[in-house]
Amino acid sequence: MDSMHILTQTFQVPYQYNVYFTKELFSKENQLLADFFKKEQRENYLGKALIVIDEGFLAFHPRLPAAIQAYFQSLQEIVTLIPEWVIVPGGERVKNDPAYWEEVVEAVDRFAIDRHSYLIAIGGGAVLDMAGYAAAVSHRGVRHIRIPTTVLSQNDSGVGVKNSVNYKGKKNFLGTFVPPVAVINDGDFLTTLDDRDWRSGISEALKVALIKDVAFFEWIEAHAQRLAERDPEAMAYLVPRCADMHLHHIRSGDPFEFGSSRPLDFGHWAAHKLEYLTQFEIRHGEAVAIGIALDSIYSMKKGLIAEADVKRILQVFHVLGFELFHPKLAEQNKINLITGLQEFREHLGGRLTIMLLEALGKGVEVHEMDDDLIRESVDYLKTAQVATYEL
Amino acid sequence: MDSMHILTQTFQVPYQYNVYFTKELFSKENQLLADFFKKEQRENYLGKALIVIDEGFLAFHPRLPAAIQAYFQSLQEIVTLIPEWVIVPGGERVKNDPAYWEEVVEAVDRFAIDRHSYLIAIGGGAVLDMAGYAAAVSHRGVRHIRIPTTVLSQNDSGVGVKNSVNYKGKKNFLGTFVPPVAVINDGDFLTTLDDRDWRSGISEALKVALIKDVAFFEWIEAHAQRLAERDPEAMAYLVPRCADMHLHHIRSGDPFEFGSSRPLDFGHWAAHKLEYLTQFEIRHGEAVAIGIALDSIYSMKKGLIAEADVKRILQVFHVLGFELFHPKLAEQNKINLITGLQEFREHLGGRLTIMLLEALGKGVEVHEMDDDLIRESVDYLKTAQVATYEL
C-alpha cells in the first residue's frame, strides 16, 4: 500500500418515522402508543421511557399524569415508565437557560436511559427543541418521541428533524439534525391552548401554502373565519395538511441542510430578529406572520407579485386575528431589524439566501436584499395595518 | 383529510468524505489542502477556517504556526484563516472539563464560523473528539476537518463518524454521529510521538485484524519488532490499512449504530473501565491492549479459540512493548472491573453485546459474560504477563 493516497468514504444513513394524528392518546382504548412500543420491542431487552413535560400544558391537563401512569402500567412487560418526570417551563426561556437542558441530560444519566430507551417530550415547540437536543446528544442519541401540544409544533417544528437550544442570546445556536422515532399529534391537546397559541401556529401553514401550494392558501383564506373562531374540524384539516407538506419538503430536498437553501424559512429572517428585539414578548408564530407580511410586501416592491396578492395575504392574517406591525420593526431607522439579515445568513451559513414570492403559492430565492426597500416595506406594513383596522 | 391517520417519513442522508495520507502537509509544495478548499469553494462566499490545536503537539512543532499561516496566505481568495487559534491540552482532560468544549463553541460564535466555514482540529483522538463535538452542534454543524496527530487517531478514531466529551465521569456520554468533511493524516506527525503514544495506537490495528483479517494480524506479528523499533515504513503500511478496514466497516454496516452491535468495540468494555479505574494513568490504546488480551483469554476459556492462539496474541503485544496486566483489574475480587460490563451495555443501549474471538481474524458476538470466567481470565493474564517477562 502506497503511503500517499486517498481513501474515499461513502455511505447513506436511512431514516424512517411516522407522524400520527389521533385523539385521546392516553385513554385505555387508544392502542396507538402501545402498538408502537410493541412493534419496536427488542429481544431480551426491557426499555425505559423518561417523560419531559411542559408545566404550562400539565397545568391545563391535571388528570394526565394518572392517565399516563395507567397507560404504561398495562405496558410494563414492554417498557418501564420512569415515575419521576422532568417538568420544565414552556416557551423560549426553556431554550435560553442551559439549566433545563442539563436537567434532562442528568435525568437520562440518573435513570440510565440508554440508546434503545425512550425520551418522550410532551409540550410546545420550545420544549420539544430543548428535550430533543438533550436526547440527540446523550449517549450520542437516545430514542426520542415527540408529542407536540401546540398548533405550531403539531404542524411544523415538531414533525421535522431539527432540535436546538439558544446560546448567549443566539437563537438555535446549539443543536443537531436528528429525526425523532415517532411524532404523535393529539388534536384534543389543542383545545386548551390560549387564543394566541391557537392562532400563532397557523402562520406556519400560511408560510408553506404561500411558497408551495396556492390551493392550500385559498383553503386557509376560505376558512380563516372558522379558524379564528376555533373550529376544531378546520384545524383538524389544517394541521395534518401542513405537516404533510413539511415532511414532503424534508424528504424531497436536503434533510440535514448541507446546502444554503432553506425555503421553509420564508419570513423567518425578520421573525427571528423581532423575537429578540421584543425579548420574546411576541411568540414565534406571531413573529412569523409579521415576517411573511414584510417579505410579501418586499416581493411586491421588487415587482415579483401584485399589490392585490399582498392585500389578500394581509387580509387572511387580519381575519385570523394577527397583528402585523410592531414598533420594534421601525426602531433606529429599521437598522435593528436589518442586522437580522446578517445574523440569519450567518446561522444558515454560506451565501445569503432569502425566500420571496413570485406568485401566491410559489416562492423564489434571492441572494440580496435592498435595505431601502426593506425600510419601505416596513412603512407599507405600518400603514396597511392601520388601514386594515379601519376597514 | 381524515383527522385520524399516519404520515410516514422516509429518507436517506448521503455522506462522503476523503481520508488523505500525506507528508509535510503544510509545506508550500503540498497542494492537498489547497486543492480541497478550491474544490469546496462556493459561489460568492468566502469561508473561514478556525484552528483548534493540541498544545502538546504544538510544543513539538514550534514552526508549524508560521507554516500554516504562510500556507493560508496563499489561499486568501478562497478561505480566511482566523489568526487566533484555540489551543487546548491533549488527552482525556480535554474531554473531561466542559470549559474546553465551551471555549471552542465561543470561538465559533466570536469569529462567526458558519455552517459552510471550517473548524480544523489538529491533535490526538481526545482533542478531535472534543472539537468535533463542538463543530457538530454549533449552528447544528459547521464543517469539520480532522488532522489527527497520533497513531491511534490516524488509524482509528479520527477516520470515523463519532465525536464526544465525557460528562460527570461517564466516558463519551455526550456526543453525536457526524462525519467530518475531510481527514488528513500526515505521517511526519507521528515521528514526534513519545514511545507510549507510538505503540498505543497499534492496539486498535490488532483489534480490527483479530476480528476481521488474519492476514493483517500475521503481518503485524511479522513486523512487530520493526514497529517496536519505530520503523516509519512499517507504520506507513499499518496506518492506512487499519484506517481502510475501519472505513469499510462503517460503510458496510450501521454507520450511526442504530442497532446494539459494535464489533469494533472488541476489548473495549474492560478498556473503558480500566481507563477510569486508573484515572487515565494508562492511555486508551494501552487499555485496549489489555482489554483485547482479556477477551481473547476469555474466548479460550469459553472454548472458542485455542491456547496457542492466545499465546500468539499475547506475544505480539509483548514484542510491541505493551504491559498486559494492571493491578486495578484484580481489585476488589475483580468486582470493579466487572461493573464495567453493565456500564458498557448502558452506553451502547439495548441488550449486552460483546465481541469475542472464534478464530484469529474472526470475531463472534455473545450476549452474556460469565463473571467467574472473567475472574479466571484476569488471573490467567496476570500469570501470563509474569511468564512473558520471564521469557
Side-chain angles (χ1 to χ4, degrees):
Chain A
M1 198 176 288
D2 183 359
S3 72
M4 306 277 278
H5 64 288
I6 302 174
L7 300 173
T8 298
Q9 176 70 313
T10 312
F11 58 85
Q12 295 208 320
V13 179
Y15 292 96
Q16 180 166 331
Y17 62 96
N18 286 339
V19 179
Y20 302 90
F21 298 86
T22 189
K23 290 182 175 190
E24 299 188 52
L25 172 60
F26 293 109
S27 79
K28 263 182 222 167
E29 292 69 36
N30 192 327
Q31 286 300 298
L32 192 163
L33 198 54
D35 289 344
F36 172 81
F37 284 121
K38 282 173 195 159
K39 181 170 63 73
E40 298 289 320
Q41 196 179 6
R42 303 168 74 90
E43 194 189 357
N44 289 303
Y45 174 69
L46 180 63
K48 296 175 190 169
L50 172 69
I51 289 182
V52 178
I53 192 164
D54 189 319
E55 68 184 3
F57 173 76
L58 195 54
F60 276 109
H61 298 266
R63 282 175 303 193
L64 197 67
I68 291 179
Q69 262 151 28
Y71 196 92
F72 276 89
Q73 194 72 33
S74 69
L75 291 173
Q76 59 184 326
E77 309 284 302
I78 298 167
V79 61
T80 304
L81 179 68
I82 302 294
E84 201 174 310
W85 297 7
V86 182
I87 301 171
V88 295
E92 208 66 20
R93 78 185 150 125
V94 82
K95 294 175 68 174
N96 274 329
D97 183 345
Y100 296 114
W101 176 84
E102 188 144 355
E103 203 181 326
V104 178
V105 170
E106 272 173 14
V108 169
D109 181 19
R110 189 163 75 253
F111 299 115
I113 305 302
D114 71 34
R115 282 173 57 77
H116 297 289
S117 280
Y118 297 91
L119 191 152
I120 302 176
I122 306 175
V127 170
L128 303 181
D129 269 0
M130 181 281 286
Y133 178 47
V137 297
S138 297
H139 295 301
R140 298 197 186 99
V142 301
R143 293 163 67 83
H144 176 43
I145 295 175
R146 291 203 199 118
I147 303 182
T149 60
T150 62
V151 176
L152 187 71
S153 52
Q154 289 196 359
N155 73 6
D156 184 82
S157 63
V159 307
V161 300
K162 295 195 268 188
N163 54 60
S164 60
V165 297
N166 306 331
Y167 177 75
K168 303 197 173 173
K170 303 249 176 154
K171 190 167 168 83
N172 300 335
F173 188 89
L174 296 175
T176 67
F177 291 88
V178 174
V181 295
V183 181
I184 307 171
N185 287 332
D186 185 335
D188 295 333
F189 290 162
L190 305 182
T191 59
T192 55
L193 294 176
D194 69 23
D195 283 347
R196 285 180 70 186
D197 278 337
W198 171 276
R199 178 167 49 236
S200 159
I202 301 172
S203 58
E204 298 283 4
L206 272 163
K207 177 197 72 181
V208 289
L210 281 169
I211 59 176
K212 286 178 182 264
D213 186 348
V214 67
F216 187 34
F217 173 75
E218 289 177 342
W219 183 92
I220 300 173
E221 194 174 40
H223 294 77
Q225 191 60 42
R226 283 178 60 188
L227 287 164
E229 289 161 1
R230 302 191 61 145
D231 177 88
E233 282 185 29
M235 191 58 97
Y237 175 86
L238 179 136
V239 167
R241 176 143 179 191
C242 179
D244 195 23
M245 289 180 69
H246 197 114
L247 292 167
H248 183 267
H249 168 78
I250 290 169
R251 73 176 161 267
S252 61
D254 173 18
F256 289 3
E257 298 175 10
F258 296 134
S260 292
S261 171
R262 286 241 301 240
L264 290 187
D265 275 351
F266 174 51
H268 277 56
W269 73 268
H272 284 170
K273 190 64 196 181
L274 198 56
E275 285 179 86
Y276 267 98
L277 290 176
T278 64
Q279 294 180 293
F280 297 96
E281 173 217 308
I282 63 171
R283 298 184 188 167
H284 181 64
E286 295 168 339
V288 168
I290 294 172
I292 290 172
L294 191 68
D295 283 351
S296 299
I297 295 165
Y298 185 95
S299 301
M300 172 191 75
K301 290 198 172 284
K302 269 284 179 195
L304 293 164
I305 58 172
E307 187 161 26
D309 296 329
V310 170
K311 287 189 170 168
R312 282 175 74 184
I313 297 169
L314 300 184
Q315 181 64 13
V316 180
F317 280 118
H318 172 61
V319 174
L320 288 166
F322 282 97
E323 288 192 36
L324 293 182
F325 185 77
H326 192 287
K328 291 276 177 193
L329 288 170
E331 214 179 51
Q332 296 263 359
N333 192 26
K334 292 96 169 175
I335 287 167
N336 291 354
L337 172 70
I338 290 168
T339 59
L341 266 182
Q342 170 59 18
E343 289 166 16
F344 185 76
R345 188 211 64 75
E346 198 175 291
H347 186 56
L348 265 60
R351 190 177 176 189
L352 178 70
T353 304
I354 295 289
M355 178 63 80
L356 296 176
L357 297 182
E358 60 181 20
L360 293 178
K362 188 139 190 263
V364 59
E365 287 187 336
V366 299
H367 298 288
E368 276 173 24
M369 290 284 276
D370 181 309
D371 289 359
D372 286 333
L373 275 196
I374 294 173
R375 289 193 169 90
E376 286 178 29
S377 301
V378 172
D379 292 336
Y380 183 100
L381 187 59
K382 185 174 182 182
T383 314
Q385 173 79 355
V386 173
T388 312
Y389 286 138
E390 284 172 354
L391 277 178
Chain B
M1 198 176 285
D2 183 0
S3 71
M4 307 276 279
H5 65 288
I6 303 175
L7 300 173
T8 297
Q9 177 70 312
T10 312
F11 58 85
Q12 295 208 321
V13 179
Y15 292 96
Q16 180 165 332
Y17 62 96
N18 286 340
V19 179
Y20 301 89
F21 299 86
T22 188
K23 291 182 175 188
E24 299 186 53
L25 172 60
F26 293 108
S27 79
K28 264 181 224 168
E29 292 69 35
N30 192 327
Q31 286 299 300
L32 193 164
L33 198 55
D35 288 344
F36 172 81
F37 284 120
K38 281 173 196 161
K39 181 169 63 73
E40 297 290 321
Q41 195 179 6
R42 303 167 74 90
E43 193 190 357
N44 288 305
Y45 174 70
L46 180 64
K48 296 175 188 171
L50 172 68
I51 290 182
V52 178
I53 191 163
D54 188 319
E55 69 184 3
F57 173 76
L58 194 54
F60 276 108
H61 298 267
R63 281 174 303 192
L64 197 66
I68 291 179
Q69 263 152 25
Y71 196 92
F72 275 88
Q73 194 72 33
S74 68
L75 290 174
Q76 59 184 326
E77 309 284 302
I78 299 166
V79 61
T80 304
L81 179 68
I82 303 293
E84 200 175 310
W85 297 8
V86 182
I87 302 170
V88 295
E92 207 65 20
R93 79 185 149 125
V94 82
K95 294 175 67 173
N96 274 328
D97 184 344
Y100 297 114
W101 176 84
E102 189 144 354
E103 201 180 327
V104 179
V105 170
E106 271 173 15
V108 169
D109 180 19
R110 188 163 74 253
F111 298 116
I113 305 301
D114 71 34
R115 282 173 57 75
H116 297 288
S117 280
Y118 296 91
L119 191 152
I120 302 175
I122 307 173
V127 170
L128 302 182
D129 269 1
M130 181 281 288
Y133 178 46
V137 297
S138 297
H139 295 297
R140 298 198 185 98
V142 301
R143 292 164 68 84
H144 176 43
I145 296 175
R146 292 205 199 116
I147 302 181
T149 59
T150 62
V151 176
L152 187 70
S153 52
Q154 289 196 359
N155 74 5
D156 184 81
S157 63
V159 306
V161 299
K162 295 195 267 187
N163 55 61
S164 60
V165 297
N166 306 331
Y167 177 75
K168 302 198 174 174
K170 303 247 176 155
K171 190 168 168 83
N172 300 337
F173 188 89
L174 295 175
T176 68
F177 292 88
V178 174
V181 295
V183 181
I184 307 170
N185 287 332
D186 184 335
D188 294 333
F189 291 161
L190 305 181
T191 59
T192 55
L193 294 175
D194 69 24
D195 283 347
R196 283 180 72 186
D197 278 337
W198 170 275
R199 177 166 51 234
S200 166
I202 300 172
S203 59
E204 297 283 4
L206 272 162
K207 177 196 72 180
V208 289
L210 282 168
I211 59 176
K212 289 183 181 257
D213 185 348
V214 66
F216 186 34
F217 172 76
E218 289 177 343
W219 182 92
I220 300 173
E221 195 175 39
H223 294 77
Q225 192 60 44
R226 283 179 59 189
L227 287 164
E229 289 162 1
R230 302 192 60 147
D231 177 87
E233 282 186 29
M235 191 58 96
Y237 176 85
L238 178 136
V239 167
R241 175 144 180 190
C242 179
D244 194 24
M245 290 180 70
H246 197 114
L247 292 167
H248 183 267
H249 168 78
I250 291 170
R251 72 175 161 266
S252 61
D254 173 17
F256 288 3
E257 299 176 8
F258 297 132
S260 292
S261 173
R262 286 242 299 241
L264 290 187
D265 275 351
F266 174 51
H268 276 56
W269 74 269
H272 284 170
K273 189 65 195 177
L274 198 55
E275 285 179 86
Y276 267 99
L277 290 175
T278 64
Q279 295 178 293
F280 297 96
E281 173 218 308
I282 64 172
R283 296 182 190 171
H284 180 66
E286 295 169 339
V288 168
I290 295 172
I292 290 172
L294 191 68
D295 284 349
S296 299
I297 294 165
Y298 184 96
S299 302
M300 171 191 76
K301 290 196 172 283
K302 270 284 181 194
L304 293 165
I305 58 173
E307 187 161 23
D309 296 328
V310 170
K311 287 190 169 166
R312 282 175 72 184
I313 296 168
L314 300 184
Q315 181 64 13
V316 179
F317 281 117
H318 172 63
V319 174
L320 288 166
F322 284 95
E323 288 193 35
L324 294 180
F325 186 76
H326 192 286
K328 291 278 175 190
L329 287 170
E331 212 179 50
Q332 294 265 0
N333 192 27
K334 292 96 171 175
I335 288 168
N336 291 353
L337 172 69
I338 290 168
T339 59
L341 266 182
Q342 170 60 17
E343 290 165 15
F344 185 74
R345 188 210 65 74
E346 198 174 293
H347 185 57
L348 267 59
R351 193 176 175 190
L352 178 70
T353 304
I354 295 288
M355 178 65 80
L356 296 177
L357 297 181
E358 61 180 20
L360 293 178
K362 187 141 189 259
V364 59
E365 287 186 338
V366 299
H367 298 287
E368 277 173 23
M369 291 285 277
D370 181 309
D371 289 359
D372 286 335
L373 274 195
I374 293 174
R375 290 194 168 90
E376 285 179 29
S377 302
V378 171
D379 292 337
Y380 183 100
L381 188 58
K382 184 174 181 181
T383 314
Q385 174 77 356
V386 174
T388 314
Y389 285 139
E390 283 172 354
L391 276 175

